[in-house]
Amino acid sequence: VLEIACRVKPQQATLASAFSTLVIVGCMEAGFWWRGFVTAWAPVMLGAVSATLIMGLQRLIEEERQKRQIRASFSMYVAPEVVAMIADDPSIARQEGTRQQMCVLFSDVRSFTTYCEDNEPELVVRQMREYLTAMTESVESFQGVLDKFVGDAVMALFGPFLDDDANPAALAVACALDMLDRLADLNAEWALEELPQFKIGVGLHYGAAILGNIGSVRKMQYTALGDTVNTAARLESMTKELKALVLVSEEVREQAMPMLEGLIEFSDLGEITVRNRAKPVSVYEARRPKREEPV
């Protein structure tokens, strides 16, 4: 009985054990009051089933503890519905480490150091909270994983937890442009209060990265590492120099074009050299097509 209980789900084992316990106790009570005897096997069976019931309850408690831990870990990174999916099946998170194709997005507020120096801390904290909230909502709305905030910078991953037929690069490009739209709305609200305006640059690269829980024993973070991450960060840093708001690599453009053709324009900006990369990277500015004004 115990071996069978270990092979099934805790909920099923617990319910089956509880039901069996009630049946056995009922039979024992019926036998005692009807004929005045208790079968020899009943106490043994009752003990075995009770042990299975206790074990099932322990497994349920442990499973719930693990789910709470997963919710606490991933609620900072992904949308609530994805957190629920990971809690039901933790294996899909591959927390131990895996190599996966993904699109990495970096965004950064331009001249942020000067902004911090010129404004009161209370205002900086308030505007950053509003800004990062808007950027988080944008990432979640396009099924991305909010990897981390690094000061004013946002790092997001598109690929983890997506269906096989999803297009991570297209989602990332759409998210980058949505970030600009949300920032424009924020700037309009801040302008009414005569508050400082933000400008951002966004860089995206598509490729393989190592994904998993990375860190020390005391502090772990679900994040990505590798050349894809470094290249995306480098592209973001080049947006100001190349006068582009959204800068993407050739790999992103190739992956995104089948879904975004006609919706997004990719303007060729040539090649750039990325540190620790033997080959230069071909880069493009992603933007929505300009609408022709009616005559």
Side-chain angles (χ1 to χ4, degrees), residues 101-117:
Q101 294 292 122
M102 67 182 70
C103 190
V104 180
L105 177 153
F106 269 92
S107 70
D108 193 56
V109 178
R110 293 177 177 172
S111 304
F112 185 70
T113 301
T114 302
Y115 161 78
C116 289
E117 293 174 350

Side-chain angles (χ1 to χ4, degrees), residues 53-171:
L53 175 60
I54 294 172
M55 185 179 67
L57 290 173
Q58 290 175 332
R59 290 176 63 194
L60 277 176
I61 293 171
E62 176 62 20
E63 185 180 80
E64 184 58 33
R65 185 192 66 79
Q66 292 176 351
K67 285 186 176 182
R68 285 199 303 269
Q69 184 179 15
I70 289 172
R71 292 188 192 101
S73 298
F74 286 92
S75 60
M76 297 181 290
Y77 308 130
V78 295
E81 57 270 21
V82 180
V83 176
M85 181 177 66
I86 299 171
D88 288 338
D89 184 7
S91 64
I92 64 175
R94 301 177 181 177
Q95 299 177 67
E96 295 77 14
T98 184
R99 194 181 302 274
Q100 182 176 345
Q101 294 292 122
M102 67 182 70
C103 190
V104 180
L105 177 153
F106 269 92
S107 70
D108 193 56
V109 178
R110 293 177 177 172
S111 304
F112 185 70
T113 301
T114 302
Y115 161 78
C116 289
E117 293 174 350
D118 293 343
N119 293 278
E120 293 298 322
E122 295 82 2
L123 177 60
V124 173
V125 170
R126 175 205 156 177
Q127 286 194 277
M128 283 304 299
R129 183 183 297 115
E130 294 176 3
Y131 165 72
L132 293 176
T133 296
M135 297 303 102
T136 299
E137 290 172 352
S138 179
V139 171
E140 290 184 350
S141 67
F142 287 93
Q143 306 174 61
V145 175
L146 181 64
D147 187 290
K148 64 172 68 72
F149 299 134
V150 185
D152 59 301
V154 176
M155 175 180 169
L157 314 174
F158 295 82
F161 316 125
L162 291 179
D163 295 333
D164 293 338
D165 58 349
N167 189 319
L171 290 169

Side-chain angles (χ1 to χ4, degrees), residues 26-52:
C27 291
M28 290 173 65
E29 285 290 320
F32 179 79
W33 291 108
W34 184 36
R35 292 294 179 90
F37 73 95
V38 176
T39 57
W41 55 264
V44 177
M45 181 63 71
L46 180 60
V49 174
S50 298
T52 305

